[in-house]
Amino acid sequence: MYSSVHPEEKSETTASSSGITSTFHGRIKSITSSQYFDSFILVAIILNSLLIACYDYTNVNNDYQPSVSSTRNYIIDKCEIIFTAIFVAECVLKIMSQGFVNGKNAYLRDGFNLLDFVLVLISLIGIIPGVPNLSVVRSIRVLRPLRTLSKVAGLKRVVNTLIASVMDLVNVGVLLLFVLTFFALFGVAFLRGLFHYRCMLTPFPVKMSVDCRNATDSCWDNFLLEVVRDPEAHRCLPYPNNDITWTQSSSQWYVNGPQDCVWPIDNTDMRVCSTSSGGFGSYTCSRPGNFMGEENVSRTCGSNYDIFGNPRFVNSLDPFGFPRLQSGVFDDALNWGYTNYDDFGSAFVTTFQAVTLEGWTTIMSHACDAWSDLAIPVFILLVVLAGVIVLNIVLAVISNSLDKIESSLTKDKGNDLALE
């Protein structure tokens, strides 16, 4: 049996259908490429982000997520459905106008669209009740403000610039890592243990009181006054504080082990100091001090560790309420003991702190007091190399990447105009 439809009529029907599809596709594309469409979505993202920030976390459920028992949370949850619908509609329209995967300008070919797509999927999952690990899924909604990156041209350009700079910045990072490692090793070699030295009120460590074990008790001041007046009667060990003939294993503080002793510190003087065996620093505690009415108290530069790093005392919490070995550095003026060159890790962090220019002059002054004035050119060199030169190299790399992106955009616009 032959078809009653004439070939010319069939061709006209196909052409008409194709024209309708093309017109529909064109209208959708004009909508998604409209500036008003992007502005509407941007406003929706901002409002949605503000709503997420307004959750009442004083009312939470068993998963520590905002509970809908709160009126505010209930309203925000209902608004969440509206915003999710808006974002889903945006995603569908863009997929219809650009294609999903296939094609040069397909939706998922753009990294920012991929981010949007993932967040939309998470939002859809988040509004489905009873989904396993729902609290985790709902928590990821805080990433929604990231969608503004794809809506604001300036932000998008900045992010693209940073992404394009990654490989070059890796090389700069390796250079910075080398500089930090070098100066950290230098600090370990020459400044190890020196930031623990403080001006002490007695020439040597003294035995802890048997009856008074808490520094907040009134008896503690009487105990300190007693040992300051007669330190020899309370001497911890009958050996010198340090001896150049000792080794780490022959040091009497190692041989006898940590003692139940303490070395009273002059807490009116927060500078670190230098000993003849520790360095040639500019501060040696030679000036007598005053303590509880006692004038001209002779002070000694000392540490809770010997020159080899052996602890002199047991590390109990009495009498200060914090580890006894930290008594020399546990103060805000000394960064609670975190700023030191005792090991590579601590030295690296301290060096990095100096590079950020956060309190680097304080670290340098500690090094001058405990070690030598040679610390001045060392720290200036560190700041110039890592804090100034490397930083400017980073800025130059980012600027170069931005120039390349601007040049590429200009070239693409030129090609588009030529095609038109």
Side-chain angles (χ1 to χ4, degrees), residues 38-111:
D38 284 340
S39 299
F40 173 74
I41 296 299
L42 178 60
V43 171
I45 293 171
I46 293 173
L47 290 177
N48 185 224
S49 301
L50 290 175
L51 279 177
I52 292 175
C54 291
Y55 268 117
D56 180 10
Y57 280 92
T58 60
N59 289 285
V60 294
N61 55 27
N62 294 334
D63 295 324
Y64 298 100
Q65 294 298 311
S67 173
V68 292
S69 61
S70 165
T71 304
R72 188 203 305 179
N73 293 342
Y74 178 79
I75 295 174
I76 293 175
D77 263 16
K78 294 305 178 183
C79 292
E80 187 73 21
I81 299 175
I82 298 174
F83 284 110
T84 299
I86 293 173
F87 298 142
V88 169
E90 176 209 9
C91 180
V92 171
L93 288 174
K94 284 191 172 183
I95 291 174
M96 292 175 67
S97 65
Q98 300 173 222
F100 188 53
V101 178
N102 297 326
K104 180 181 178 181
N105 297 318
Y107 182 73
L108 290 185
R109 295 280 178 152
D110 185 283

Side-chain angles (χ1 to χ4, degrees), residues 57-298:
Y57 280 92
T58 60
N59 289 285
V60 294
N61 55 27
N62 294 334
D63 295 324
Y64 298 100
Q65 294 298 311
S67 173
V68 292
S69 61
S70 165
T71 304
R72 188 203 305 179
N73 293 342
Y74 178 79
I75 295 174
I76 293 175
D77 263 16
K78 294 305 178 183
C79 292
E80 187 73 21
I81 299 175
I82 298 174
F83 284 110
T84 299
I86 293 173
F87 298 142
V88 169
E90 176 209 9
C91 180
V92 171
L93 288 174
K94 284 191 172 183
I95 291 174
M96 292 175 67
S97 65
Q98 300 173 222
F100 188 53
V101 178
N102 297 326
K104 180 181 178 181
N105 297 318
Y107 182 73
L108 290 185
R109 295 280 178 152
D110 185 283
F112 290 102
N113 286 340
L114 180 60
L115 173 64
D116 290 350
F117 183 71
V118 171
L119 291 177
V120 167
L121 285 181
I122 292 172
S123 300
L124 285 173
I125 297 173
I127 62 176
I128 300 175
V131 175
N133 296 322
L134 181 60
S135 61
V136 176
V137 174
R138 291 170 65 90
S139 298
I140 301 177
R141 290 182 302 179
V142 299
L143 298 176
R144 278 189 183 169
L146 292 177
R147 298 193 65 211
T148 57
L149 297 177
S150 63
K151 307 304 176 187
V152 182
L155 284 176
K156 190 173 182 179
R157 189 174 304 166
V158 169
V159 173
N160 285 332
T161 300
L162 292 176
I163 293 173
S165 307
V166 167
M167 292 310 299
D168 290 331
L169 288 176
V170 168
N171 295 327
V172 179
V174 172
L175 173 62
L176 178 61
L177 182 63
F178 171 79
V179 173
L180 292 176
T181 301
F182 174 80
F183 281 95
L185 292 174
F186 178 90
V188 173
F190 293 97
L191 301 173
R192 180 174 176 267
L194 297 187
F195 282 17
H196 290 271
Y197 280 84
R198 295 282 304 282
C199 292
M200 306 298 185
L201 295 171
T202 58
F204 36 74
V206 295
K207 295 178 181 178
M208 273 287 296
S209 171
V210 176
D211 302 323
C212 189
R213 309 283 300 184
N214 195 327
T216 60
D217 293 341
S218 58
C219 61
W220 182 254
D221 289 339
N222 296 330
F223 166 70
L224 291 182
L225 188 59
E226 182 180 336
V227 299
V228 167
R229 288 173 176 172
D230 188 9
E232 190 65 42
H234 300 270
R235 186 164 188 155
C236 182
L237 286 179
Y239 303 104
N241 299 327
N242 293 299
D243 194 315
I244 58 174
T245 62
W246 289 348
T247 63
Q248 184 172 22
S249 58
S250 66
S251 168
Q252 291 300 318
W253 296 101
Y254 177 83
V255 173
N256 291 277
Q259 302 293 305
D260 186 22
C261 300
V262 67
W263 205 343
I265 302 171
D266 183 2
N267 287 317
T268 63
D269 188 347
M270 299 309 301
R271 294 176 67 176
V272 296
C273 57
S274 174
T275 63
S276 58
S277 58
F280 304 94
S282 57
Y283 198 65
T284 57
C285 304
S286 58
R287 176 179 55 83
N290 298 325
F291 179 73
M292 297 179 63
E294 291 289 319
E295 298 182 355
N296 297 321
V297 176
S298 179

Side-chain angles (χ1 to χ4, degrees), residues 12 91 93 144 174 215 330 363 371 394 398:
E12 289 175 3
C91 180
L93 288 174
R144 278 189 183 169
V174 172
F330 199 77
I363 301 174
W371 178 55
V394 170
I398 295 176

